[in-house]
Amino acid sequence: MVSIDTYNACVDFPIFDAKSRSMKKAFLGAAGGAIGRNQDNVVVVEALSDVNLHLREGDRVGLVGHNGAGKSTLLRLLAGIYEPTRGTADIRGRVAPVFDLGVGMDPEISGYENIIIRGLFLGQTRKQMKDKMEEIADFTELGEYLAMPLRTYSSGMRIRLALGVVTSIEPEILLLDEGIGAVDAAFMAKARDRLQALVERSGILVFASHSNDFLAQLCDTALWVDHGKIRDAGSVPDIIESYEGKGAGDHVRRLMTRMEEEKNA
Ligand SMILES: Nc1ncnc2c1ncn2[C@@H]1O[C@H](COP(=O)(O)OP(=O)(O)OP(=O)(O)O)[C@@H](O)[C@H]1O
């Protein structure tokens, strides 16, 4: 069974070299988690506090919130990269963390070899990646460059390769942190379809994004993360409306209606 359960999970980052003078006036700014002190009087950033999350097979959840609200920290907690400082996080299922498209890529080896390595990094086997190789190679449209070392690629070419691999896997839990940047528009349209298909065959999706259109396309529900806490939970348009206002909520509602009509057409 695939599941995510966190109980009052907190993640603190101790900052041993923080200047105490500047900390005297610590207050909750618009961006970032609360800054406090732990029992040893060390300055800590409270990146997440008392997060209770219960997700099951089929859940597609978007995370919205200001810079430094705790979205990436929450994804890293769910990926097992961070342990909760207090509380618990119980994650069942094979996790594919897609935070940085370039992670696990080696500039000195070929595109083909990088496809295998990146796949292993995402929990796939060598055999699975070899079976998918042709299809991934086609998608990237990189042709003979695939036999060349990755260092000869432009940044957009690297993203094509990384997206080709990421969207080819079968994850039980897919953790996605936007960062899908510099590819040309035609390629992005192709990648969106593949991303949609990836999400559909994933057990659980948690997706942190500042793009309302992307959230509307990939998620059913959303969480507003604010200063390390879950401030609100609900449908994607409702949460975007609470977070950004009525205009943004209505835009997402219209977009979702249009997508639904296109699906049924
Ligand atoms: N390694 C770290 N050491 C210290 N503080 C950190 C570390 N990583 C994150 N933080 C702090 O934790 C808080 C949450 O950061 P996080 O990266 O999770 O935010 P986010 O919601 O993903 O932001 P953004 O939308 O800007 O990517 C911030 O206050 C940040 O300063």
Side-chain angles (χ1 to χ4, degrees):
M1 197 188 66
V2 184
S3 61
I4 290 177
D5 289 288
T6 72
Y7 300 92
N8 295 326
C10 303
V11 174
D12 291 348
F13 293 110
I15 316 291
F16 295 102
D17 55 353
K19 299 252 185 334
S20 62
R21 241 185 97 221
S22 60
M23 286 301 126
K24 268 187 191 154
K25 278 194 180 167
F27 66 101
L28 210 53
I35 298 172
R37 284 181 186 275
N38 66 11
Q39 64 277 20
D40 302 321
N41 209 27
V42 171
V43 170
V44 290
V45 174
E46 293 165 8
L48 289 179
S49 61
D50 291 325
V51 171
N52 289 290
L53 198 57
H54 303 284
L55 304 178
R56 295 292 175 269
E57 176 90 38
D59 285 342
R60 276 107 190 62
V61 185
L63 304 180
V64 304
H66 57 66
N67 290 132
K71 304 178 295 297
S72 306
T73 306
L74 179 55
L75 289 177
R76 283 172 171 71
L77 175 75
L78 301 183
I81 297 169
Y82 297 148
E83 288 279 322
T85 315
R86 293 174 301 285
T88 56
D90 182 17
I91 316 299
R92 290 165 198 247
R94 190 163 30 84
V95 177
V98 183
F99 301 148
D100 178 344
L101 284 175
V103 166
M105 295 281 195
D106 181 341
E108 295 307 325
I109 61 176
S110 72
Y112 287 121
E113 289 165 316
N114 268 295
I115 289 176
I116 305 259
I117 300 287
R118 183 74 172 103
L120 295 178
F121 202 80
L122 290 167
Q124 305 292 293
T125 64
R126 191 171 287 273
K127 161 102 177 50
Q128 281 173 321
M129 292 318 292
K130 282 196 169 151
D131 292 346
K132 295 183 221 271
M133 183 64 85
E134 207 177 303
E135 184 260 329
I136 296 173
D138 275 357
F139 168 75
T140 64
E141 298 172 5
L142 288 169
E144 302 204 339
Y145 273 97
L146 287 169
M148 309 255 280
L150 192 78
R151 68 183 142 76
T152 64
Y153 292 24
S154 72
S155 54
M157 288 162 77
R158 285 172 201 222
I159 294 175
R160 281 176 177 240
L161 188 75
L163 266 177
V165 180
V166 162
T167 54
S168 76
I169 62 173
E170 284 88 33
E172 288 180 339
I173 298 177
L174 177 62
L175 305 175
L176 216 54
D177 206 348
E178 56 175 22
I180 297 160
V183 277
D184 50 64
F187 191 77
M188 197 62 223
K190 210 166 99 168
R192 273 187 186 231
D193 290 345
R194 263 177 83 102
L195 266 175
Q196 173 98 45
L198 167 70
V199 166
E200 278 163 15
R201 63 176 187 273
S202 311
I204 294 177
L205 166 74
V206 187
F207 178 34
S209 177
H210 292 286
S211 158
N212 292 345
D213 290 14
F214 240 150
L215 287 164
Q217 188 193 352
L218 299 180
C219 303
D220 301 326
T221 56
L223 299 174
W224 177 5
V225 184
D226 190 31
H227 293 111
K229 294 185 190 298
I230 309 284
R231 175 154 168 186
D232 203 359
S235 72
V236 176
D238 287 356
I239 293 304
I240 287 173
E241 180 159 330
S242 320
Y243 171 54
E244 275 184 49
K246 183 144 174 39
D250 284 344
H251 167 77
V252 169
R253 264 181 215 104
R254 280 194 299 275
L255 190 69
M256 291 181 89
T257 311
R258 206 170 62 228
M259 284 189 311
E260 196 57 33
E261 283 166 2
E262 279 169 14
K263 212 162 79 189
N264 297 331

